[in-house]
Amino acid sequence: MRRIAICISFAAVSAASCAQTLSPPSRSVYKCSANGKITYSDAPCLGAQRLDIEPTRGVGGREGRDVQRERQREMIAEAIRPLTGMNAKQLDLHGRRMKLTPEAQRECHALDAQTPATEREEAQAAGERREILKVNLLNLRQRQRELRC
């Protein structure tokens, strides 16, 4: 019975996310510095600092449809949390990854472990080793973006 409820819940959330024509915007922003100029982008760059952002939810009590949909997804996720054990962000990630091929899902899972480890190692490294790790980190982030992890 519990499995059926979980499947129905995931189907409802997946259907709601499939109904949207655009993919959700990235909440990771990269702060890039080149030639003394700082830029911000959703695409990774060499030596980028990753920033996690939360978009605004309207001004003066006015909300757009996208914010209303996001709040609805959050309420659904909270209602089924006892069944799934996932919060809204985890459920969105799971729903997005369900659309990927099994190979891409496995690669995303591996990248989930490699990227933070490489970020920590790069932060502690110095000299030539740090430059090599910056390139490795850029490649990992670009691959995550290509796969739509």
Side-chain angles (χ1 to χ4, degrees):
M1 185 69 172
R2 182 179 167 137
R3 288 183 184 172
I4 293 171
I6 291 172
C7 290
I8 291 170
S9 301
F10 280 118
V13 172
S14 295
S17 65
C18 288
Q20 297 177 6
T21 56
L22 299 175
S23 61
S26 173
R27 291 192 179 192
S28 290
V29 173
Y30 298 95
K31 181 180 177 181
C32 304
S33 178
N35 300 328
K37 286 186 137 184
I38 295 176
T39 58
Y40 297 89
S41 174
D42 64 341
C45 61
L46 186 62
Q49 177 186 2
R50 188 171 64 88
L51 309 169
D52 286 323
I53 60 162
E54 281 294 323
T56 60
R57 294 206 168 190
V59 178
R62 302 181 107 189
E63 296 179 342
R65 288 186 187 169
D66 55 336
V67 173
Q68 291 170 356
R69 277 193 303 269
E70 185 174 353
R71 286 192 195 275
Q72 184 179 20
R73 282 194 311 270
E74 288 171 354
M75 287 189 299
I76 291 170
E78 207 47 46
I80 63 173
R81 188 174 190 161
L83 298 173
T84 63
M86 291 187 255
N87 64 28
K89 289 181 182 180
Q90 293 167 328
L91 201 57
D92 277 348
L93 177 66
H94 182 76
R96 193 169 62 244
R97 287 194 177 171
M98 281 180 23
K99 299 174 191 173
L100 301 176
T101 65
E103 296 81 22
Q105 289 178 18
R106 282 191 292 277
E107 191 173 349
C108 285
H109 184 69
L111 289 168
D112 286 344
Q114 288 177 322
T115 303
T118 305
E119 286 173 347
R120 285 189 301 273
E121 193 177 346
E122 185 260 337
Q124 296 173 352
E128 187 176 323
R129 176 75 179 140
R130 186 171 194 171
E131 296 305 314
I132 291 169
L133 288 169
K134 282 182 182 182
V135 172
N136 289 347
L137 189 56
L138 175 62
N139 291 334
L140 292 171
R141 288 173 173 167
Q142 286 176 334
R143 186 62 183 151
Q144 282 179 314
R145 189 161 192 235
E146 288 170 11
L147 291 171
R148 302 180 70 106
C149 294

